[in-house]
Amino acid sequence: MAERSLKSLQQEVDGYISQFKEGYFSPLAMLARMSEEVGELAREVNHQFGPKPKKKDEADSSIELELGDILFITICFANSLGIDLTEAHEKVMHKFNTRDANRWTKINTDSN
């Protein structure tokens, strides 16, 4: 599968949402939806890596699909607010590379 940019993903989601009269949900509704999706991811991680097995009648899901749902709602949220996710990513990486530059132990460095 070909690599895709965040911009192309944002455009694809916008094209999908734009075909519906309802358009994007309100920011508060999207935040609620995002919280719901993160909860579903947490449940799936707990089933796979935690002490809580699935019930016999519980539908199968996957961490990949739950992350995909979170990505979709994140893109919707950004699009509705006019946020370029590439720019947002660049800003957050700058923050991590400056503010948190020495916060963690780097691989292949002397720790003495």
Side-chain angles (χ1 to χ4, degrees), residues 33-45 66 70:
R33 172 94 191 276
M34 185 178 286
S35 297
E36 177 185 330
E37 296 298 347
V38 170
E40 291 175 10
L41 174 63
R43 183 175 180 85
E44 195 60 35
V45 169
E66 297 305 339
I70 292 168

Side-chain angles (χ1 to χ4, degrees), residues 38-63:
V38 170
E40 291 175 10
L41 174 63
R43 183 175 180 85
E44 195 60 35
V45 169
N46 194 24
H47 288 318
Q48 289 190 31
F49 301 104
K52 185 178 180 185
K54 282 191 178 191
K55 297 175 187 173
K56 290 179 184 177
D57 62 343
E58 195 167 359
D60 281 338
S61 189
S62 74
I63 291 173

Side-chain angles (χ1 to χ4, degrees), residues 66-102:
E66 297 305 339
L67 286 170
D69 286 343
I70 292 168
L71 178 60
F72 180 81
I73 192 64
T74 299
I75 293 171
C76 286
F77 211 155
N79 285 354
S80 74
L81 297 174
I83 294 171
D84 180 319
L85 285 173
T86 300
E87 287 180 23
H89 174 75
E90 288 170 0
K91 288 175 182 176
V92 79
M93 289 308 297
H94 175 74
K95 177 181 71 173
F96 289 136
N97 286 319
T98 55
R99 184 194 71 187
D100 296 338
N102 297 310

Side-chain angles (χ1 to χ4, degrees), residues 18-35:
S18 295
Q19 67 183 325
F20 304 108
K21 289 180 184 179
E22 295 81 3
Y24 291 104
F25 296 146
S26 71
L28 187 57
M30 279 195 272
L31 181 59
R33 172 94 191 276
M34 185 178 286
S35 297

